[in-house]
Amino acid sequence: MNSPIFTAVQNDTELNDRAQLEQHCFKLLNQYGHLIFLLDSTLNPSIFDDVVNVLAKKNIAYIPLAIKKDMATSDLFLICIDDHKVFEQVKDDLLQNLIRNKDIANDSYFVHGFGTTKIESLEELRDQIRNKLVVSDQGRKILFRWYDPRVLIYLNDILEEKNLVSLLDNFEAWHFLHPTGFYSIESSEERTQIKKVPLRSLNKAESIALDLVELSNSVFQQLNDFNEVDISQLHPVNIHKTLLQAHNHYGLENNLDLVTYGLYGQIIHQDFMAHSLVTDILYEHCVQGELSFTDAMDYLDSELYSVIQQDLNV
């Protein structure tokens, strides 16, 4: 990729202040005449009942996640708000659940994002998003949750520019929250010049990278419990790169071993495997012995972490 399709604005008022989020929503509503929210009630089917009851049926579009699934009961759905009074009625529910995404320990992303669309009807937007949810992954069809902030933050580095632009092309503007920032995707003249190619299938490298996304998110959450780690200085994208190195260079495939590698890569040093203290332990217990990577690393005394850091930072 030549440049990121979207970026995070960290330490911005929109990231830290609910009032600023509300103000930004009103700004979009005034500018474009509508607001689109992508909602997900999978983990709590009744969480948006009050919101749905306020909206007219024409302002709700359910996105089926399976071929035969009843569209009226889908957990993933779009809402369109085109009236200031309506937004006043639903904003508390929407923004409260949106702000939950800032919490690193949060596993329930009920609001995936909000913005505006260039598509004339909500049903057409629904259909276009639905057509992008299934891709071929090494010969099998999978549900691709590209819209989820916990996936979307990685796609600048995983997908080709032409495919990523195609995924996001339905939106004139799109914003989402993540513990690492307030992310913005804006339509621009530069983006319109990029040739858009729908993502129909993943190549092997993309498949491996997407498989590691969930593990990267797990490492990111677990690191929040370590006092020696400044979580504000970490980014899941960098953790993901460390996991790719573990998989592609060192051949680690077991999920527990990959998570262990990701944790050591942030707690000690991203190149900890290059240090002789580590390689000696792994040779003794993995090569000569029969221990897994995770079990072998238990023999590394935590008092040696600082020694490894100092040596590798020289």
Side-chain angles (χ1 to χ4, degrees):
M1 278 190 190
N2 296 325
S3 60
I5 299 302
F6 53 85
T7 57
V9 181
Q10 292 180 298
N11 301 317
D12 191 89
T13 52
E14 283 139 322
L15 176 63
N16 299 302
D17 189 272
R18 181 196 177 285
Q20 291 295 329
L21 269 176
E22 180 179 329
Q23 182 179 339
H24 191 69
C25 287
F26 273 118
K27 178 182 177 182
L28 291 175
L29 185 55
N30 289 329
Q31 182 177 354
Y32 295 96
H34 71 273
L35 269 177
I36 300 292
F37 281 83
L38 180 58
L39 308 182
D40 191 336
S41 61
T42 302
L43 298 179
N44 186 346
S46 63
I47 191 166
F48 291 119
D49 282 357
D50 290 341
V51 173
V52 169
N53 289 336
V54 170
L55 298 171
K57 289 185 177 180
K58 69 179 181 66
N59 288 56
I60 307 170
Y62 293 94
I63 306 173
L65 298 180
I67 295 176
K68 296 182 180 180
K69 189 161 185 178
D70 183 354
M71 294 174 64
T73 59
S74 176
D75 295 320
L76 184 70
F77 59 102
L78 295 161
I79 64 170
C80 178
I81 300 170
D82 52 13
D83 184 281
H84 284 73
K85 292 182 180 179
V86 171
F87 184 60
E88 288 285 358
Q89 290 178 271
V90 300
K91 66 182 182 181
D92 289 341
D93 276 343
L94 294 175
L95 296 181
Q96 178 182 344
N97 282 296
L98 175 63
I99 289 174
R100 289 166 60 101
N101 299 356
K102 290 166 51 179
D103 181 3
I104 191 172
N106 174 43
D107 288 318
S108 303
Y109 278 50
F110 296 115
V111 180
H112 289 300
F114 69 95
T116 62
T117 181
K118 59 186 75 174
I119 308 300
E120 291 188 3
S121 75
L122 193 62
E123 290 77 13
E124 183 181 351
L125 176 62
R126 186 247 346 258
D127 292 342
Q128 292 195 22
I129 291 177
R130 180 185 59 192
N131 291 336
K132 299 174 182 181
L133 294 181
V134 177
V135 297
S136 177
D137 182 6
Q138 308 303 294
R140 60 190 175 92
K141 297 293 185 181
I142 65 166
L143 177 66
F144 182 24
R145 294 173 57 88
W146 54 267
Y147 52 83
D148 190 317
R150 294 163 294 183
V151 176
L152 195 49
I153 60 167
Y154 298 98
L155 297 187
N156 273 323
D157 293 326
I158 294 177
L159 298 182
E160 292 188 58
E161 188 178 61
K162 59 185 181 182
N163 297 137
L164 181 54
V165 170
S166 177
L167 286 177
L168 303 169
D169 191 43
N170 302 126
F171 304 109
E172 191 74 27
W174 193 248
H175 308 287
F176 60 94
L177 275 177
H178 184 270
T180 56
F182 175 85
Y183 288 73
S184 294
I185 304 165
E186 302 280 357
S187 181
S188 65
E189 183 176 348
E190 182 181 356
R191 274 183 59 191
T192 61
Q193 301 302 314
I194 299 172
K195 181 181 179 181
K196 305 169 187 64
V197 178
L199 182 67
R200 303 301 184 197
S201 62
L202 303 173
N203 60 38
K204 186 175 181 180
E206 291 168 340
S207 176
I208 291 171
L210 285 173
D211 284 343
L212 295 175
V213 162
E214 185 175 355
L215 297 180
S216 179
N217 288 332
S218 175
V219 171
F220 182 57
Q221 285 187 314
Q222 291 183 50
L223 285 168
N224 195 40
D225 296 327
F226 288 84
N227 293 329
E228 57 266 54
V229 175
D230 182 359
I231 200 70
S232 68
Q233 299 301 311
L234 295 182
H235 199 294
V237 169
N238 294 328
I239 296 172
H240 186 261
K241 292 176 180 178
T242 300
L243 297 185
L244 279 172
Q245 180 185 44
H247 182 280
N248 296 337
H249 186 70
Y250 294 110
L252 295 182
E253 296 184 349
N254 177 275
N255 284 354
L256 178 58
D257 288 341
L258 286 165
V259 169
T260 299
Y261 187 100
L263 291 170
Y264 280 115
Q266 301 301 318
I267 295 171
I268 301 178
H269 193 281
Q270 63 180 5
D271 296 321
F272 74 97
M273 285 282 279
H275 199 281
S276 60
L277 288 173
V278 176
T279 55
D280 288 348
I281 286 175
L282 294 178
Y283 182 79
E284 177 182 354
H285 297 288
C286 291
V287 179
Q288 293 184 322
E290 297 183 353
L291 294 184
S292 67
F293 171 80
T294 298
D295 290 338
M297 287 299 293
D298 284 340
Y299 285 90
L300 181 65
D301 193 321
S302 60
E303 294 184 357
L304 296 175
Y305 293 0
S306 60
V307 175
I308 297 174
Q309 290 170 345
Q310 290 173 5
D311 290 348
L312 292 177
N313 285 331
V314 172

PDB file of all heavy atoms in Angstrom, residues 82-93:
ATOM      1  N   ASP A  82     -32.421  10.390  10.060  1.00  0.00           N
ATOM      2  CA  ASP A  82     -32.503  11.564   9.180  1.00  0.00           C
ATOM      3  C   ASP A  82     -33.326  12.685   9.788  1.00  0.00           C
ATOM      4  O   ASP A  82     -33.824  13.563   9.081  1.00  0.00           O
ATOM      5  CB  ASP A  82     -33.082  11.164   7.818  1.00  0.00           C
ATOM      6  CG  ASP A  82     -34.391  10.386   7.935  1.00  0.00           C
ATOM      7  OD1 ASP A  82     -34.974  10.382   9.045  1.00  0.00           O
ATOM      8  OD2 ASP A  82     -34.809   9.781   6.939  1.00  0.00           O
ATOM      9  N   ASP A  83     -33.464  12.640  11.115  1.00  0.00           N
ATOM     10  CA  ASP A  83     -34.255  13.649  11.813  1.00  0.00           C
ATOM     11  C   ASP A  83     -33.582  13.973  13.147  1.00  0.00           C
ATOM     12  O   ASP A  83     -33.238  13.076  13.906  1.00  0.00           O
ATOM     13  CB  ASP A  83     -35.668  13.116  12.046  1.00  0.00           C
ATOM     14  CG  ASP A  83     -36.581  14.153  12.678  1.00  0.00           C
ATOM     15  OD1 ASP A  83     -36.470  14.343  13.907  1.00  0.00           O
ATOM     16  OD2 ASP A  83     -37.397  14.755  11.950  1.00  0.00           O
ATOM     17  N   HIS A  84     -33.386  15.245  13.409  1.00  0.00           N
ATOM     18  CA  HIS A  84     -32.715  15.658  14.641  1.00  0.00           C
ATOM     19  C   HIS A  84     -33.470  15.206  15.888  1.00  0.00           C
ATOM     20  O   HIS A  84     -32.856  14.803  16.889  1.00  0.00           O
ATOM     21  CB  HIS A  84     -32.553  17.185  14.669  1.00  0.00           C
ATOM     22  CG  HIS A  84     -31.465  17.697  13.783  1.00  0.00           C
ATOM     23  ND1 HIS A  84     -31.576  17.719  12.411  1.00  0.00           N
ATOM     24  CD2 HIS A  84     -30.223  18.190  14.078  1.00  0.00           C
ATOM     25  CE1 HIS A  84     -30.462  18.223  11.890  1.00  0.00           C
ATOM     26  NE2 HIS A  84     -29.625  18.511  12.880  1.00  0.00           N
ATOM     27  N   LYS A  85     -34.790  15.255  15.850  1.00  0.00           N
ATOM     28  CA  LYS A  85     -35.574  14.852  17.011  1.00  0.00           C
ATOM     29  C   LYS A  85     -35.402  13.364  17.309  1.00  0.00           C
ATOM     30  O   LYS A  85     -35.343  12.950  18.471  1.00  0.00           O
ATOM     31  CB  LYS A  85     -37.044  15.194  16.791  1.00  0.00           C
ATOM     32  CG  LYS A  85     -37.336  16.687  16.766  1.00  0.00           C
ATOM     33  CD  LYS A  85     -38.828  16.953  16.580  1.00  0.00           C
ATOM     34  CE  LYS A  85     -39.115  18.457  16.569  1.00  0.00           C
ATOM     35  NZ  LYS A  85     -40.561  18.736  16.362  1.00  0.00           N
ATOM     36  N   VAL A  86     -35.331  12.573  16.260  1.00  0.00           N
ATOM     37  CA  VAL A  86     -35.123  11.133  16.434  1.00  0.00           C
ATOM     38  C   VAL A  86     -33.751  10.876  17.039  1.00  0.00           C
ATOM     39  O   VAL A  86     -33.599  10.049  17.952  1.00  0.00           O
ATOM     40  CB  VAL A  86     -35.278  10.390  15.094  1.00  0.00           C
ATOM     41  CG1 VAL A  86     -34.848   8.927  15.244  1.00  0.00           C
ATOM     42  CG2 VAL A  86     -36.711  10.473  14.601  1.00  0.00           C
ATOM     43  N   PHE A  87     -32.750  11.582  16.542  1.00  0.00           N
ATOM     44  CA  PHE A  87     -31.410  11.393  17.098  1.00  0.00           C
ATOM     45  C   PHE A  87     -31.369  11.758  18.575  1.00  0.00           C
ATOM     46  O   PHE A  87     -30.698  11.101  19.375  1.00  0.00           O
ATOM     47  CB  PHE A  87     -30.375  12.205  16.318  1.00  0.00           C
ATOM     48  CG  PHE A  87     -28.958  11.978  16.782  1.00  0.00           C
ATOM     49  CD1 PHE A  87     -28.382  10.723  16.734  1.00  0.00           C
ATOM     50  CD2 PHE A  87     -28.202  13.029  17.300  1.00  0.00           C
ATOM     51  CE1 PHE A  87     -27.087  10.499  17.173  1.00  0.00           C
ATOM     52  CE2 PHE A  87     -26.903  12.823  17.739  1.00  0.00           C
ATOM     53  CZ  PHE A  87     -26.345  11.552  17.676  1.00  0.00           C
ATOM     54  N   GLU A  88     -32.076  12.808  18.949  1.00  0.00           N
ATOM     55  CA  GLU A  88     -32.137  13.195  20.360  1.00  0.00           C
ATOM     56  C   GLU A  88     -32.693  12.059  21.212  1.00  0.00           C
ATOM     57  O   GLU A  88     -32.272  11.849  22.352  1.00  0.00           O
ATOM     58  CB  GLU A  88     -33.015  14.441  20.531  1.00  0.00           C
ATOM     59  CG  GLU A  88     -32.396  15.731  20.022  1.00  0.00           C
ATOM     60  CD  GLU A  88     -31.304  16.278  20.936  1.00  0.00           C
ATOM     61  OE1 GLU A  88     -31.055  15.668  21.998  1.00  0.00           O
ATOM     62  OE2 GLU A  88     -30.697  17.302  20.571  1.00  0.00           O
ATOM     63  N   GLN A  89     -33.623  11.284  20.672  1.00  0.00           N
ATOM     64  CA  GLN A  89     -34.249  10.196  21.412  1.00  0.00           C
ATOM     65  C   GLN A  89     -33.350   8.967  21.551  1.00  0.00           C
ATOM     66  O   GLN A  89     -33.453   8.236  22.532  1.00  0.00           O
ATOM     67  CB  GLN A  89     -35.559   9.782  20.727  1.00  0.00           C
ATOM     68  CG  GLN A  89     -36.672  10.808  20.832  1.00  0.00           C
ATOM     69  CD  GLN A  89     -37.922  10.353  20.103  1.00  0.00           C
ATOM     70  OE1 GLN A  89     -38.104  10.602  18.917  1.00  0.00           O
ATOM     71  NE2 GLN A  89     -38.789   9.663  20.831  1.00  0.00           N
ATOM     72  N   VAL A  90     -32.480   8.739  20.571  1.00  0.00           N
ATOM     73  CA  VAL A  90     -31.698   7.488  20.568  1.00  0.00           C
ATOM     74  C   VAL A  90     -30.210   7.695  20.854  1.00  0.00           C
ATOM     75  O   VAL A  90     -29.477   6.723  21.031  1.00  0.00           O
ATOM     76  CB  VAL A  90     -31.849   6.755  19.211  1.00  0.00           C
ATOM     77  CG1 VAL A  90     -33.308   6.416  18.950  1.00  0.00           C
ATOM     78  CG2 VAL A  90     -31.256   7.580  18.062  1.00  0.00           C
ATOM     79  N   LYS A  91     -29.759   8.929  20.908  1.00  0.00           N
ATOM     80  CA  LYS A  91     -28.329   9.191  20.992  1.00  0.00           C
ATOM     81  C   LYS A  91     -27.686   8.616  22.244  1.00  0.00           C
ATOM     82  O   LYS A  91     -26.532   8.150  22.191  1.00  0.00           O
ATOM     83  CB  LYS A  91     -28.043  10.697  20.902  1.00  0.00           C
ATOM     84  CG  LYS A  91     -28.575  11.501  22.095  1.00  0.00           C
ATOM     85  CD  LYS A  91     -28.304  12.991  21.928  1.00  0.00           C
ATOM     86  CE  LYS A  91     -28.798  13.757  23.159  1.00  0.00           C
ATOM     87  NZ  LYS A  91     -28.571  15.215  23.042  1.00  0.00           N
ATOM     88  N   ASP A  92     -28.389   8.644  23.369  1.00  0.00           N
ATOM     89  CA  ASP A  92     -27.786   8.143  24.607  1.00  0.00           C
ATOM     90  C   ASP A  92     -27.448   6.660  24.497  1.00  0.00           C
ATOM     91  O   ASP A  92     -26.348   6.231  24.859  1.00  0.00           O
ATOM     92  CB  ASP A  92     -28.719   8.385  25.796  1.00  0.00           C
ATOM     93  CG  ASP A  92     -28.810   9.857  26.175  1.00  0.00           C
ATOM     94  OD1 ASP A  92     -27.909  10.622  25.776  1.00  0.00           O
ATOM     95  OD2 ASP A  92     -29.781  10.233  26.849  1.00  0.00           O
ATOM     96  N   ASP A  93     -28.375   5.865  24.002  1.00  0.00           N
ATOM     97  CA  ASP A  93     -28.129   4.434  23.824  1.00  0.00           C
ATOM     98  C   ASP A  93     -26.982   4.187  22.840  1.00  0.00           C
ATOM     99  O   ASP A  93     -26.088   3.375  23.089  1.00  0.00           O
ATOM    100  CB  ASP A  93     -29.385   3.728  23.306  1.00  0.00           C
ATOM    101  CG  ASP A  93     -30.338   3.359  24.421  1.00  0.00           C
ATOM    102  OD1 ASP A  93     -29.903   3.353  25.588  1.00  0.00           O
ATOM    103  OD2 ASP A  93     -31.511   3.081  24.136  1.00  0.00           O
TER     104      ASP A  93
END
